[in-house]
Amino acid sequence: MSAVAAVPAPMTDERDLAIPFDRLVRTELRKTYDTRASRWLLIAIAAITPIVIGVLVVALAPKELTFNKLVDFSSTPEKLLLPALGILSVTSEWSQRTGLVTFTLVPRRRRVLLAKCVAVLALGIAATAVMFAACAVGNVLGATLRAGNGSWSFGLSGFGGITLVMLIGLMEGTAFGMALLVTPAAVVVFYVLPNVWSAVFSTVPGLKSAEAWVDLSQATGNFYNDKMTGTGMLQLLVAFAIWVAVPGVIGVWRVGRTEVKSS
Amino acid sequence: MNDRSSSPAAIEVAGLSKSYGPHRALDDVSFSVQHGSVTGFLGPNGAGKSTTLRMLVGLTTPTAGAARVLGGLYGDLPNPGRRVGVLLDASAQHAGRTGREVLRLNAMVMGLPLDRVQEMLHRVGLTPAEADRRAGTYSLGMRQRLGIASALLGDPEVLILDEPANGLDPAGIHWMRGLLREFADRGGAVLLSSHLLAEIEAVADDLVFIGGGRVIAAGSKRSLLDAAGGDLEDLFLTLTADHGREDVA
């Protein structure tokens, strides 16, 4: 038995150990705050709700100062800002051409994409938590300073629903970033296309009935005030497929094939 | 100096071809780079040097042929940065990221201790003040130094460098030659491309000339020098000129 023990187990050279996934996620997280531009975006994402809440506490009529109302109002700007994080996380690799190094150090592009998704979704959850906390503080302040209504009725499913709305928007942004790969194009298309789309569907008579199925913001809107039904869930799935799954699949394909340009 | 024949090559390029539509960017390119040597990869702009190097590291997929690094495909290396140092384009850095931060991110991916970053900054001669500046403010020479620091970070045994001397001043070029020579003398393999013969001639052991997507001459510097009657520049110009006529014909 000592003869067996004496033979050293074949050691893998430390240099030949695979890169663990969590290391990629931590690296991608770091990229979201290690440049001036990315840091400002994160600061804006974290600060927008407290600022909006501050304004609402002063401006809203006291009877309107409820937790539910505050979430309703303050989630709108957050929903607008958060997807930019997903867009830039992908497009900056092409626009700034850092992908040349990223994909050389990790020649598995889908793995890098997955790490980016995990990193931005984690930040999205954190941003949503900050939003709820700011709303809670705002509700207390409203009740104390302005004799506001102060109602807490919200429903546990509301937290999950709103968080899901935020994360779906973030995924939509990331998918658009992957599919378009160029920052200005992705930003413009992401913010303009859904609005044009819903304008078309809400004004063209024959399309009106389809609107609830193809408009993602309308489909996710049912999460507010806890109005999600079985049909609503189906509509959400269809809209999700159109706005997240399809660009996401195109994106994975494009990221895998598109060359990062050399100068 | 080194027994080259018995050990397998560090880089083995075999029959590499790449077509973009009807345009054939690379046509049956084959060569190898041995451990303990510097191989200069020479050719005029647009000859296919960068395409070849990108294929070596899996950034571009060849239409035919294969490139092997350390006996396998680059993409199969579990942690490539620890085996192969790569610099393809020194300007491909996030303009808003500091030089130190660039190295720190790369060290993180490779799983290296952070003091390695400071060590490499020192090695390539970037001062702490320069390292804390955003890369967007760097001169091309500083970017090259940062890129070389990044390539050396993982203490690799193979270096693949595309035009690393671009933008370096004469002192910088001299410094880089010393660095590459030392790297090869310790057993490392270096493949470096350039469109300037003089940059390469002083440091390379072997040369590969490429023109119009094809290898037009390859061999040890000594044998090529002998064949050229002592003047590599003449040979280089003759080879590329010949090739140009071939293309027209």
Side-chain angles (χ1 to χ4, degrees):
Chain A
M1 66 173 189
S2 61
V4 175
V7 178
M11 282 272 290
T12 308
D13 191 313
E14 182 217 0
R15 294 174 297 173
D16 290 328
L17 295 176
I19 302 170
F21 186 67
D22 70 289
R23 214 154 76 197
L24 290 183
V25 174
R26 277 187 289 123
T27 309
E28 290 304 330
L29 267 179
R30 195 174 166 90
K31 287 183 190 172
T32 63
Y33 61 83
D34 75 347
T35 68
R36 204 182 290 177
S38 65
R39 200 156 41 233
W40 274 110
L41 178 61
L42 268 200
I43 290 171
I45 285 170
I48 185 102
T49 325
I51 292 170
V52 169
I53 292 293
V55 173
L56 289 174
V57 165
V58 176
L60 276 184
K63 67 171 167 46
E64 295 218 78
L65 282 169
T66 66
F67 185 69
N68 191 30
K69 259 284 188 287
L70 291 177
V71 171
D72 233 21
F73 279 120
S74 66
S75 64
T76 303
E78 189 69 282
K79 208 171 77 182
L80 216 57
L81 210 47
L82 205 49
L85 189 67
I87 295 175
L88 291 175
S89 146
V90 179
T91 57
S92 69
E93 298 280 3
W94 267 267
S95 293
Q96 299 280 340
R97 297 192 296 126
T98 48
L100 215 51
V101 173
T102 304
F103 299 135
T104 304
L105 287 178
V106 189
R108 294 160 189 83
R109 298 192 184 185
R110 289 184 186 188
R111 208 153 176 259
V112 175
L113 278 184
L114 199 59
K116 281 185 187 296
C117 290
V118 171
V120 296
L121 288 179
L123 288 170
I125 290 171
T128 311
V130 169
M131 185 187 85
F132 283 129
C135 291
V137 171
N139 200 28
V140 171
L141 285 179
T144 4
L145 301 179
R146 298 199 49 224
N149 179 311
S151 164
W152 292 98
S153 73
F154 188 66
L156 201 61
S157 62
F159 289 99
I162 302 292
T163 307
L164 209 55
V165 173
M166 293 297 164
L167 297 188
I168 287 172
L170 191 48
M171 282 189 258
E172 187 189 2
T174 314
F176 271 69
M178 282 158 46
L180 290 161
L181 297 177
V182 184
T183 306
V187 168
V188 169
V189 172
F190 176 81
Y191 288 106
V192 173
L193 187 62
N195 290 320
V196 173
W197 179 275
S198 62
V200 168
F201 274 84
S202 61
T203 50
V204 177
L207 297 174
K208 188 88 179 91
S209 58
E211 194 186 358
W213 294 86
V214 297
D215 186 326
L216 186 58
S217 71
Q218 210 180 87
T220 54
N222 292 327
F223 276 121
Y224 288 86
N225 307 315
D226 230 355
K227 283 187 298 214
M228 193 50 91
T229 59
T231 315
M233 212 61 196
L234 270 180
Q235 290 172 336
L236 177 61
L237 281 177
V238 172
F240 184 87
I242 295 172
W243 293 100
V244 183
V246 169
V249 168
I250 294 170
V252 170
W253 180 78
R254 284 206 72 197
V255 167
R257 293 185 52 102
T258 309
E259 294 190 19
V260 185
K261 292 276 170 288
S262 288
S263 54
Chain B
M1 195 163 52
N2 289 290
D3 182 10
R4 296 219 194 148
S5 49
S6 62
S7 58
I11 295 174
E12 187 81 59
V13 173
L16 220 50
S17 299
K18 179 71 179 180
S19 301
Y20 293 98
H23 174 63
R24 209 163 173 78
L26 223 55
D27 189 4
D28 198 22
V29 167
S30 300
F31 63 89
S32 61
V33 179
Q34 309 299 326
H35 289 283
S37 80
V38 177
T39 296
F41 193 31
L42 283 151
N45 288 325
K49 301 187 297 291
S50 295
T51 307
T52 306
L53 298 188
R54 289 166 74 99
M55 284 181 187
L56 258 176
V57 299
L59 284 174
T60 299
T61 319
T63 312
R68 303 179 88 77
V69 182
L70 296 168
L73 294 176
Y74 179 91
D76 290 337
L77 290 167
N79 190 355
R82 301 294 296 273
R83 292 285 182 189
V84 185
V86 180
L87 170 58
L88 292 181
D89 183 351
S91 293
Q93 295 294 357
H94 196 299
R97 208 165 264 150
T98 67
R100 188 191 305 281
E101 180 61 23
V102 168
L103 294 185
R104 200 190 148 113
L105 281 177
N106 297 349
M108 250 174 108
V109 173
M110 288 185 242
L112 298 167
L114 291 179
D115 50 7
R116 189 78 189 144
V117 170
Q118 189 52 48
E119 205 180 310
M120 283 304 108
L121 284 169
H122 184 73
R123 174 102 184 262
V124 301
L126 285 173
T127 66
E130 287 169 334
D132 289 328
R133 271 168 50 190
R134 289 178 293 135
T137 69
Y138 281 16
S139 66
L140 183 53
M142 286 165 77
R143 285 171 205 213
Q144 294 287 13
R145 286 174 189 269
L146 179 63
I148 290 165
S150 178
L152 292 172
L153 199 60
D155 193 21
E157 58 210 272
V158 177
L159 279 180
I160 296 171
L161 311 172
D162 197 0
E163 304 271 3
N166 255 4
L168 286 178
D169 56 18
I173 290 176
H174 180 78
W175 159 79
M176 200 185 61
R177 278 181 194 151
L179 185 143
L180 297 180
R181 189 67 261 163
E182 191 198 317
F183 184 88
D185 288 346
R186 286 190 290 121
V190 181
L191 176 61
L192 87 149
S193 81
S194 178
H195 61 280
L196 301 171
L197 178 61
E199 261 173 32
I200 301 269
E201 203 183 335
V203 67
D205 305 295
D206 298 306
L207 296 170
V208 176
F209 287 94
I210 187 172
R214 265 178 267 177
V215 173
I216 46 185
S220 73
K221 184 170 67 182
R222 182 145 307 282
S223 66
L224 287 168
L225 261 173
D226 289 345
D231 193 342
L232 271 179
E233 188 154 24
D234 269 356
L235 175 72
F236 180 56
L237 292 173
T238 314
L239 283 171
T240 48
D242 278 356
H243 191 82
R245 277 202 296 277
E246 231 173 80
D247 259 1
V248 173

